[in-house]
Amino acid sequence: METYEYSWSEQFYYFSLFRALHGPDATPNKEDESPIDEETYYTQSDLATWIREQNNCRKMFLDGKASDITPNQIKVLDQASFPWIRDSSERWDGHFRELMAFKEEHGHCNVPRKAGKLGIWVKNQRAAYHKLYDLATGGGGGGNG
């Protein structure tokens, strides 16, 4: 059987179609060989592989290495809420921006733990700070952070 090489635009179309059919945060199952739609043989597994490839290409691009992804393609994927795999510094920066928006709205940084991911992140940041402070000062206290 002859294999067909899908273009970036075709695969982006299938990504958009999959999200339209399954919801804006849906992620394809890499084990699912069922077609995305009745017109093609493009499967959820194919889409999961393409998503992983786009993540790898973006990482290479951001690291200054040769990559098959263009800045314009990254922008298009960003606008489509593409499920990027973020490295730890990107995630930290994103949470920090959320915290600054919370502070702007509420006038403080006392995010309740039940406030979802941001609340958990703030709790973890405080715990890490206290652990670091206690190690640096030889125990005792933890400051007033």
Side-chain angles (χ1 to χ4, degrees):
M1 180 176 178
E2 187 175 322
T3 60
Y4 176 77
E5 185 77 24
Y6 292 94
S7 71
W8 189 93
S9 297
E10 287 173 311
Q11 294 187 85
F12 179 72
Y13 165 79
Y14 289 121
F15 170 75
S16 302
L17 178 62
F18 180 82
R19 288 279 176 96
L21 294 171
H22 299 282
D25 296 322
T27 305
N29 180 344
K30 67 181 179 182
E31 307 296 326
D32 191 338
E33 293 295 331
S34 62
I36 300 284
D37 69 0
E38 300 302 318
E39 303 292 317
T40 69
Y41 293 106
Y42 195 84
T43 66
Q44 285 194 40
S45 178
D46 294 329
L47 183 57
T49 298
W50 182 75
I51 288 171
R52 188 173 52 254
E53 288 170 356
Q54 298 313 293
N55 272 290
N56 291 338
C57 288
R58 176 180 170 271
K59 181 170 179 9
M60 291 173 63
F61 177 84
L62 293 175
D63 289 344
K65 298 176 182 170
S67 173
D68 290 334
I69 200 167
T70 67
N72 188 56
Q73 289 170 336
I74 292 172
K75 286 179 189 175
V76 168
L77 293 171
D78 282 342
Q79 291 170 347
S81 299
F82 192 78
W84 296 118
I85 298 170
R86 306 282 184 187
D87 70 16
S88 60
S89 64
E90 286 179 294
R91 285 192 303 270
W92 194 94
D93 290 345
H95 287 304
F96 185 75
R97 284 190 298 275
E98 286 180 57
L99 179 59
M100 292 299 93
F102 181 93
K103 183 179 181 186
E104 182 73 26
E105 182 178 338
H106 299 282
H108 61 80
C109 294
N110 297 322
V111 181
R113 289 182 189 165
K114 63 183 178 192
K117 289 182 182 179
L118 181 60
I120 294 167
W121 181 80
V122 169
K123 176 187 77 92
N124 291 339
Q125 294 304 302
R126 287 192 175 125
Y129 169 82
H130 288 292
K131 182 177 182 180
L132 181 63
Y133 184 84
D134 285 347
L135 287 173
T137 60
N144 61 358

